[in-house]
Amino acid sequence: MTSSPPLSSSSSSPGRRRTSPPLHSTLLREDFDEVLESEVFVDVNRLRKYARHGIPDEIRGEVWKFLLGVEKPDRSSEFTQRRARFESYREIDKENVETSKRVRGEVNRYLTRTKKECLLDPHSSPAIFEAVICAYLNCNNNIDYSPALVQICAPFVITMKSEHDVFSCFERLVNTLYEPSLESSINKRVAQFLSYFRTLMPELYNYFEDEELDVGEWASSWLRFLLAKELPTACVLSLWDVYFSLPDFIDFHPFVCLAILRHLKDSLEDLEQSEIRSMLLRLPKMNISRIVSQAYNIRSEIQARYGSITTVRA
């Protein structure tokens, strides 16, 4: 599915329609609209500031495009840039029989798992996943297919109308997540994360060890894929609102993971190994604003303990 580039400066996402939105949501929408409706220049710094408090569902896709640098703030050549992106995507080879089959199977599993959330059209969305992921892998032969690509792609399919916009944003994020320095340092990043975990929550860390939990299994996935595989979709959308507003979200992410562990500590300590594993791989719904606030507190706590925080890159 390839659609022509939109001509207007804003678009709505195919989420469920809300009735009688809360007053604070209305005010928030007005703040975003004031920035997005600028005819000359979109103030991305203001969008970042607002996005940290959450983006309304209807305009999330439009805001994400600016935050990810897909849409340029200068509106003087807006149509030309959109047309160029559209044409560029149209020319990419999207055929890959083996990958399409694997994507289709993973998308079906994802749709079954998220059926109650009703965020995706089960009839049209599988074709978008297949086209976007195959196009990306055909352009990046150094990256192998992973089921995680479906979960990473899903938020963009949910929030954006145009397939070429889905591709552009997916490409930006996956390029960041698969940056060579991050890929080669994953073991070091996991080790550092576990060190912080042991320091901050020794009782829970020791309990995991007593239960012989394979911490590498879940910790590696959490750190590599921004919790796209583990969190409920609505929580992923809210978390990524914050992440895309930050210049250093990759470095901030481990503290969010620690905040989640602290939030779930009491519940996890009541479970046995298999139950712990299930919860860590399928996290419950949670208040993302509180998690993010706790993550900032944890980062400050670690800075106070260690004097500074070392960013692990190859």
Side-chain angles (χ1 to χ4, degrees):
M1 183 191 85
T2 305
S3 55
S4 58
L7 302 181
S8 63
S9 62
S10 63
S11 63
S12 58
S13 61
R16 289 175 289 183
R17 183 177 299 173
R18 290 179 173 179
T19 57
S20 302
L23 178 60
H24 70 86
S25 296
T26 304
L27 295 176
L28 184 63
R29 174 64 189 267
E30 290 175 357
D31 289 335
F32 279 104
D33 285 344
E34 182 181 352
V35 179
L36 294 173
E37 290 170 3
S38 171
E39 296 180 0
V40 179
F41 187 86
V42 173
D43 189 338
V44 178
N45 286 331
R46 284 179 66 190
L47 287 183
R48 293 186 189 284
K49 177 182 177 182
Y50 297 151
R52 290 168 195 171
H53 303 286
I55 303 171
D57 294 343
E58 317 84 55
I59 57 171
R60 177 173 280 119
E62 186 69 13
V63 175
W64 277 7
K65 284 188 287 181
F66 283 104
L67 298 184
L68 289 168
V70 168
E71 203 80 80
K72 305 302 180 185
D74 184 354
R75 291 223 134 116
S76 61
S77 57
E78 179 179 40
F79 179 80
T80 303
Q81 292 172 358
R82 290 184 177 183
R83 172 61 65 177
R85 280 196 293 111
F86 170 72
E87 294 294 344
S88 176
Y89 176 67
R90 187 171 66 171
E91 293 174 2
I92 298 175
D93 176 19
K94 304 171 186 65
E95 296 296 324
N96 190 318
V97 176
E98 182 60 29
T99 299
S100 290
K101 181 180 178 181
R102 297 169 75 180
V103 170
R104 197 176 307 123
E106 187 62 29
V107 169
N108 287 336
R109 285 186 285 273
Y110 179 84
L111 290 172
T112 299
R113 191 169 67 248
T114 61
K115 186 176 181 179
K116 292 182 179 180
E117 296 179 82
C118 299
L119 295 173
L120 286 170
D121 184 338
H123 303 292
S124 62
S125 59
I128 301 175
F129 280 97
E130 287 180 45
V132 167
I133 294 174
C134 286
Y136 180 81
L137 293 178
N138 286 343
C139 293
N140 296 270
N141 295 325
N142 59 313
I143 294 179
D144 296 325
Y145 169 77
S146 164
L149 293 174
V150 171
Q151 279 82 16
I152 295 169
C153 189
F156 301 118
V157 178
I158 290 168
T159 59
M160 295 173 187
K161 282 186 171 182
S162 301
E163 188 175 304
H164 66 282
D165 284 336
V166 173
F167 174 80
S168 296
C169 292
F170 175 76
E171 180 183 43
R172 288 293 177 99
L173 182 56
V174 175
N175 283 348
T176 299
L177 298 181
Y178 280 82
E179 179 188 333
S181 65
L182 287 175
E183 280 290 281
S184 62
S185 67
I186 182 62
N187 290 335
K188 292 180 181 178
R189 290 191 291 129
V190 169
Q192 184 185 64
F193 169 77
L194 294 177
S195 174
Y196 290 156
F197 176 24
R198 183 172 58 247
T199 299
L200 293 174
M201 291 165 271
E203 292 181 358
L204 183 60
Y205 183 90
N206 291 334
Y207 184 66
F208 280 11
E209 286 206 323
D210 292 342
E211 289 294 315
E212 299 181 344
L213 193 72
D214 181 1
V215 292
E217 176 190 19
W218 60 269
S220 177
S221 177
W222 279 27
L223 293 175
R224 291 185 70 184
F225 304 121
L226 303 183
L227 297 166
K229 294 173 61 179
E230 292 83 13
L231 277 174
T233 305
C235 293
V236 173
L237 297 177
S238 296
L239 181 61
W240 288 10
D241 286 348
V242 178
Y243 280 0
F244 297 161
S245 74
L246 300 174
D248 61 343
F249 69 85
I250 293 294
D251 297 331
F252 182 63
H253 177 61
F255 305 110
V256 170
C257 295
L258 291 168
I260 289 173
L261 287 174
R262 180 171 282 180
H263 174 72
L264 297 175
K265 180 178 180 296
D266 291 343
S267 298
L268 290 167
E269 289 177 340
D270 288 336
L271 303 177
E272 297 180 353
Q273 184 201 68
S274 61
E275 297 169 317
I276 296 172
R277 181 179 180 275
S278 295
M279 177 175 283
L280 294 176
L281 296 180
R282 285 285 179 270
L283 293 167
K285 187 175 181 179
M286 57 191 77
N287 186 317
I288 294 300
S289 294
R290 292 180 182 174
I291 295 296
V292 170
S293 295
Q294 182 69 265
Y296 279 114
N297 292 337
I298 288 174
R299 185 170 68 173
S300 297
E301 190 176 338
I302 290 175
Q303 284 176 326
R305 281 176 180 263
Y306 291 89
S308 63
I309 294 175
T310 302
T311 301
V312 177
R313 299 289 174 97

